[in-house]
Amino acid sequence: MSAASAARLILKRLHEVMASRAHAQAKLDAVVEIIADSLSSEVCSIYLLREGALELYATRGLNPEAVHVTRLALGEGLTGTIAKNIATLNLAEAAAHPDFQYRPETGEEKFHSFAGVPIVYREKAVGVLCVQHAEPRRYEEVEIEALQTTAMILSELIAHKELVDDTEALAFDKAPTEAEVMEGLTLVKGLAKGRAVFHQPRVEIDQVVAEDIEVERQRVYRAFDKMRDQIDAMGREPEFGKGGEHVEVLETYKMFAYDEGWSRRINEAIDSGLTAEAAIERVQQRTRMRMREIDDPLLADRMHDLEDLANRLLRIVSGQMSTAATQGLRRDTILFARNLGPAELLEYDRRRLKGVVLEEGSLTAHVVIVARAMGVPVVGRLPGILARVSEGDEILVDADRGFVTLRPSQTHHDAFESRFVRNREKQAAYAKLRDVEPFTRDGTRITVMMNAGLRDDMSMLQVTGADGVGLFRTEFQFLVSATLPQRERQMRLYRDVLDAADGKKVIFRTVDIGGDKAVPYLNSDIGERDENPAMGWRALRLALERDGLLKVQARALLEAAAGRDLSVMFPMVSEPWEFDAARAIFEEQAAMLKTRGKLAPESIEYGCMLEVPALAETLDLLLPRVSFISVGTNDLTQFLFAADRANPKLAARYDWLSPAILRFLARVSGALVGSNVRLGVCGEMGGRRLEALALLGLGYRRLSITPTSVGQIKELIRKIDLDEITAQMQAWLFSPPPDMRAALEQWAAARDIDID
Ligand code: PEP
Ligand code: MG
C-alpha cells in the first residue's frame, strides 16, 4: 500500500468518526483505534502538550488507567524527545535508545518497536502521535508518512476543538509569550513601539480534508502555473536583475518552482485526502523536519527561499494575496517583512506605521531612504525573525542601537520608556533650534536643507526650519502611482510643493527611476535590458532616450514655477554632454511656453548631481555650465567601491568615513574653490553627525539631509570651529588614522560634541 492510500484510508475513517455525535474523548479513543488498525500496530497513543508537559490523552494498547496520568516533560523519554526536537523517531528496539524512559503505569514493557511523529501546529510541536509493536521491527517509510499526514490532520482537528473539548489548556495557539531581544543592523535610527503586523499576512488554513481530490489537484496545478509565471516575470524586474544575492535567490526560486519532486510530493499529499492548502503545508512541514536534522547554513538559506515560495504558493492557492497595507493598519504598528520595495512602504498609513523590521535591508536601499524620510525607524539584517514573532505581538524597536524586543517584559518597558523620554527631550531641544540659523562657532553660515519626495514631506520644512529642499526626488510620485503620472498631475504636485515652500528654495531632481526604484508600468522597458540596473539604463540615461518623459516633466516644472524661481537638478550625469542635452530639453520647452504666451518662471537655474565618479574627472568642463553641484554619496559610494547599495551582504562593509571616499570628496571640493558654483551633499551621509563633521572639515558648506536629522545637524554645526576641523581633516587625509571613525569620535568627545 502507498503512503497516500494508507493515509487516505485513515482519513476516510476519521471523517466518519468526526461526523458522529460521540463526545470528544470517545472520538479521540476511536481515532487511536483507527490508526492502530490501519497500520496493523498493537499500540497507538496520542500525547498532547498541556501546561508544559506531554500528557497521554488516548491510547489503544497501553494501560487505559495511564490516560491523563502519564505525563512527560519536553525532552523526557522518547515522546518528549520527539516533541522537543520536532523530529520523527523510528526504532526497532525502543529500550535501546538513550532517551528511553520506562513508565510502569503504561504497561509498555512488552512492546519493542516504536515510531512517533510530532503533532505540529504553526511550526511548534503540540503533541506526539506514536505506535508500538511487540515485535522488534522498524516501521516502513509509507507507514511513517501516513502517520505524519494523520498527525497534521489531528493538529487541525484539535485546534478547531473537534477532538478535545478543552483546548484552552493545550499548547495550541499558544504562541511564545516570553520576551526575546534580537540584535540587527540600524537602518533608520529612532525608537518605536507597537504591535507586530506581517507585510504579507500568514495564510490561515481553514479546511484540511479535501471534499474532492480532483478539484484540489486542479487548484494546485493552477497555482503552480501562476507561481512559475510570477517567478519568470520577476527575472525581468530590475530588482532581481542586479547580480549578487538577488540573482541567487531568483535562481533558487526557479529551481524550486520547477522542481518535479516538490510538486509531486504536494500531489501525493493531495492523494492522501488533503486540501491543496493542507498539502502544501504538509510537505513544508516534512521539509522543515528534514532540514532540522541537517546543520548546514547554506541549506538553511535555501530553506528560507523554499519557505518564501511555499508561502507564495499558499497565498495564490487560497486567494489571500493582499498585503497588510491593503487591509489597513488599525493600531500602532511595527511592520515585519523579509524585504520591501519603496513603493510598498509608501502604501502604509503614516500615522499608524511606527517602525519596520526587516530580515534583510541595507543602509542606502531606497526603501530605507523612504522610511527615513517618513521618520520611521528601521532595523534590518535579522534573519529568522519572522518565524519568532506572531501577528499582534507587542514589539519595542530601539533602532538607535539595533535592538528589537519581542513581547517585552516590564523591565524592558521601563528601560525603553526612559530612553524614549530622553529621546523626546533631545527632539524638543532640536525643535528649539528651528528658528536658529546654523552658524559655526567661528561664524560661518552653513546651509541646511532637507530632502523630500512627496507632498506630505513639505510640512517638515516648517517643523525643522530647514533652509529649503535641496533634493526633491520627483520619482517618488512615479513610484506610488499605478500608472505613469500625466503632466497635469505632475504639475499640480510641483506647484503644491512650491506653494508649501513659501519662497524657500526647492531643487527638483528630474526622475531617477531604475535601479532599485522599479516602476511597474515601465518595467518592460527597464527590466528586460539590464543585467545590472544600478549601473544600467536609469535616471538621466533613460530620460534622455525616452525624451518624451523628460519633456513632459520639464513642461510640468516650468508651468508649476510660473512667475517663481525654478531650480532643476539632473541625476546620474556621467559626462558633461548629458547635462547639456537635458538642459536643452528644458530650454526647448521654456521657449515653447513663451511662444504660446504662457508665464515663464522668474528664473531658472540648472545643476547636477555628482554621483558617478567619472564626472569628477571632467569638473573643469562642467563647472562653466552649471549653477550648482550636489554630491549624491549614496550612489557615489556604490560606484566607488563597486558595492551594490541594495545588497544586504555589503550593507555594513564600506564606511563613509573611509579615506577613499573622504579623499574623493576633498578633491571635488578643492576643484570648486574659487568658482561660483555652489557645492553641496544630498546623500544620506550628510544627515549623520560624524559624517557631517567630516564633510564640514572637507569644505562642504551646504547639506541637504533627511528632515529628521535637521535639528541634530544644526546643533552640531553650532559647536564646531571650522578652522579646527578643517586642519584636522587635512592632517588625517594626508595620513589617515587606522580607524577614521574612532578618531573623529574622540575628536568630538574631547570637544563635548554629541555624536550619538
Ligand atoms: C544619492 O545617490 O546619494 C542620492 C541622493 O540619490 P538617490 O539616493 O535618490 O539615488
Ligand atoms: Mg543617486
Side-chain angles (χ1 to χ4, degrees), residues 366 509 512 517 538 571-572 609 611 632 634-635 645:
H366 276 98
R509 180 178 72 181
D512 180 2
K517 286 179 276 197
R538 63 172 272 208
M572 287 286 285
M609 294 197 63
E611 49 188 344
N634 304 337
D635 276 313
R645 67 193 263 189

Side-chain angles (χ1 to χ4, degrees), residues 441 714-721 752-754:
R441 275 185 27 219
K714 275 187 169 185
E715 187 202 61
L716 171 95
I717 291 167
R718 287 159 50 81
K719 290 190 172 166
I720 288 172
D721 182 305
D752 210 17
I753 298 173
D754 186 9

Side-chain angles (χ1 to χ4, degrees), residues 54 98 226 445 496 575:
L54 287 156
K226 197 160 175 186
R445 172 71 158 85
D496 291 354
E575 297 194 311

